[in-house]
């Protein structure tokens, strides 16, 4: 067993390690650190596939490891974060000594992520693009919400992101988008051509502008832009 063959798997396990650390921070409501470690895990998730292709060492083991690591980093952690957000919000009907069940709805995100990752492994249509929102993009969207809440001085946003029914709506929308039959373009650049990668380049530049302009609030806007551009591209391609 050569060292070269283990490089992608090692990177994948580092992604999982980042996810485990992010879980601890999320459980302690240290959302900023959780966001950073999930972001680092997603960064590593990109490079495990890159090195697997570079070294020609792609394997079924690597595919399964990748999904298991993503399940923690991009599945369990956002579920915990949404659980914490729902638990901190107000407006739930009181059930006395009975444990209020509503915050546990946040873990629907974890269930939806699990289903998507399992389906992704057997779906041969998702080699060059995605069908449904990728779990890393969904994770970044969810983990950005408490950061927006803490850093954006807006009464409207405060009211919105502390409303339990809005959070339940975001959760259900998240689950739907993860598994919706909506083709979304890939950010992978396979050919060094500006013309053929105009969509990806335009999206990346727009993302930089949004994040530079709105900081944490720019992150959910980037995810929304990604979905909208994909839908528009699909409509134009069908004509």
């Amino acid at each position: 067993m050569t060292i070269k063959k283990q490089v992608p798997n090692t990177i994948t396990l580092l992604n999982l390690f980042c996810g485990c650390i992010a879980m601890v921070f999320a459980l302690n409501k240290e959302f900023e650190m959780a966001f950073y470690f999930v972001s680092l895990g997603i960064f590593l998730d990109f490079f495990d596939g890159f090195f697997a292709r570079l070294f020609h060492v792609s394997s079924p083991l690597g595919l399964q490891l990748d999904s298991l690591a993503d399940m923690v980093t991009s599945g369990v952690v956002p579920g915990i974060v949404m659980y914490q957000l729902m638990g901190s919000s107000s407006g739930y009907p009181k059930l006395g000594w009975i444990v209020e069940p509503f915050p546990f709805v946040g873990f629907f995100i974890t269930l939806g992520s699990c289903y998507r990752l399992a389906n992704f492994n057997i779906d041969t249509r998702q080699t060059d693009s995605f069908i449904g929102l990728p779990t890393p993009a969904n994770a970044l969207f969810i983990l950005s919400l408490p950061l927006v809440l803490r850093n954006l001085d807006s009464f409207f946003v405060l009211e919105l992101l502390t409303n339990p029914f809005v959070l339940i709506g975001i959760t259900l929308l998240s689950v739907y988008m993860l598994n919706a039959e909506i083709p979304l373009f890939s950010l992978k650049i396979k050919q060094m051509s500006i013309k053929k990668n105009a969509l990806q380049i335009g999206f990346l530049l727009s993302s930089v502008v949004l994040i530079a302009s709105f900081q944490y609030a720019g992150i959910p806007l980037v995810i929304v832009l990604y979905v909208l551009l994909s839908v528009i591209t699909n409509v134009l391609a069908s004509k």
Side-chain angles (χ1 to χ4, degrees):
M1 186 178 295
T2 64
I3 294 177
K4 186 169 69 172
K5 287 184 178 179
Q6 294 307 311
V7 169
N9 291 341
T10 301
I11 295 174
T12 301
L13 291 175
L14 288 174
N15 169 20
L16 176 58
F17 185 55
C18 288
C20 292
I21 296 173
M23 282 176 59
V24 175
F25 282 119
L27 288 167
N28 290 320
K29 296 186 178 181
E30 298 181 53
F31 298 121
E32 193 165 9
M33 292 302 298
F35 175 84
Y36 289 147
F37 274 98
V38 165
S39 298
L40 179 57
I42 291 171
F43 177 79
L44 293 168
D45 181 45
F46 175 82
F47 277 100
D48 61 3
F50 173 80
F51 280 106
R53 292 188 295 271
L54 180 66
F55 295 152
H56 304 288
V57 291
S58 299
S59 67
L61 173 62
L63 178 65
Q64 298 306 317
L65 276 178
D66 186 69
S67 290
L68 290 170
D70 283 349
M71 184 57 217
V72 175
T73 305
S74 298
V76 177
V77 178
I80 293 173
V81 169
M82 183 56 77
Y83 168 83
Q84 298 282 34
L85 282 174
M86 289 186 176
S88 300
S89 61
S90 58
Y92 293 111
K94 301 301 180 183
L95 301 178
W97 58 270
I98 302 175
V99 176
E100 295 179 359
F102 296 100
F104 290 98
V105 173
F107 287 107
F108 283 10
I109 294 172
T110 302
L111 303 183
S113 299
C114 181
Y115 189 89
R116 177 189 164 70
L117 288 167
N119 191 45
F120 180 82
N121 285 349
I122 61 173
D123 192 341
T124 57
R125 299 174 298 169
Q126 301 191 56
T127 54
D128 296 319
S129 61
F130 299 109
I131 297 177
L133 188 65
T135 53
N138 184 68
L140 290 176
F141 181 89
I142 299 299
L143 267 78
S144 70
L145 298 181
L147 303 183
V148 172
L149 188 59
R150 288 183 177 181
N151 292 279
L152 192 64
D153 187 17
S154 169
F155 179 76
F156 174 73
V157 172
L158 175 65
E159 287 291 306
L160 201 64
L161 295 182
T162 56
N163 185 305
F165 300 105
V166 170
L167 294 174
I168 289 172
I170 292 173
T171 298
L172 296 179
L173 179 62
S174 168
V175 173
Y176 169 75
M177 288 303 303
L178 283 166
N179 296 284
E181 286 288 316
I182 302 174
L184 303 175
F185 66 88
S186 173
L187 294 178
K188 294 177 182 177
I189 296 176
K190 297 185 176 181
Q191 296 180 354
M192 300 305 294
S193 168
I194 295 178
K195 183 178 180 180
K196 291 184 178 180
N197 296 295
L199 179 61
Q200 287 84 351
I201 294 171
F203 170 71
L204 291 173
L205 291 175
S206 300
S207 300
V208 171
V209 171
L210 284 171
I211 293 173
S213 301
F214 300 102
Q215 286 79 51
Y216 288 122
I219 297 169
L221 295 178
V222 167
I223 306 304
V224 171
L225 175 64
Y226 173 56
V227 174
L228 288 177
L229 284 177
S230 296
V231 171
I232 293 170
T233 301
N234 294 336
V235 171
L236 293 176
S238 65
K239 290 185 178 180

